[in-house]
Amino acid sequence: MNARTLLGAAVASVAMTIAGNGVAAADSWVDPAEYTVGDTVYFSGAMGGCTIRPNGDVGCELNGRGVWYGIPTPDLAIDAAFLPAHPTFGLFGHYARPGAKGMPWDNQAPYDREITSLINYAGATCVNITGPNASIACDSKGHYFRYGVRGTEFR
């Protein structure tokens, strides 16, 4: 490997870290034990209330409405490795838990400063972002969803 290839790889690595996926730039990694009730993690974020179950199932009730293939939806879930992120329309209960502990944020920060917090439990990772790009994003079982002020993404 020559120096030029090595330098290119280093620059690409730094660029990906800076551009980030929320994980690399997290301001706050939270301890899931602080959010656990029984064997399930419950938390509230900038854009909804979420649950992570001990088998890695994750779901969030959305503040507002997400869109899934053009259909307005109140929630998104990842509960099977063979399915992309999808809505459940409340058929399997609620993901938000009244009184769930909120993810960290700084109410003294200027509105244009994003505060990112991350929680990891049972193979699922959720990232909460406050500020002008407020969103909640979760990844589990090889699938992903993000819901926020800039819309809904899923795979």
Side-chain angles (χ1 to χ4, degrees), residues 53-112:
R53 295 198 170 91
N55 64 356
D57 288 357
V58 62
C60 294
E61 288 183 28
L62 311 175
N63 294 348
R65 293 272 183 202
V67 178
W68 185 75
Y69 292 110
I71 302 167
T73 179
D75 61 27
L76 287 170
I78 301 169
D79 54 13
F82 62 88
L83 289 175
H86 59 277
T88 66
F89 300 102
L91 296 175
F92 303 109
H94 294 282
Y95 295 110
R97 179 182 171 97
K101 183 175 180 176
M103 293 286 263
W105 63 287
D106 181 356
N107 63 359
Q108 302 302 312
Y111 176 73
D112 62 349

Side-chain angles (χ1 to χ4, degrees), residues 43 50-52 56-60 76-78 85 119 124-128 135-147 153-155:
F43 64 91
C50 303
T51 298
I52 305 174
D57 288 357
V58 62
C60 294
L76 287 170
I78 301 169
I119 192 165
T125 301
C126 291
V127 177
N128 180 60
S135 62
I136 188 99
C138 294
D139 188 313
S140 186
K141 301 181 181 194
H143 301 287
Y144 164 87
F145 67 79
R146 183 191 60 77
Y147 168 72
E153 293 177 28
F154 55 91
R155 63 170 164 77

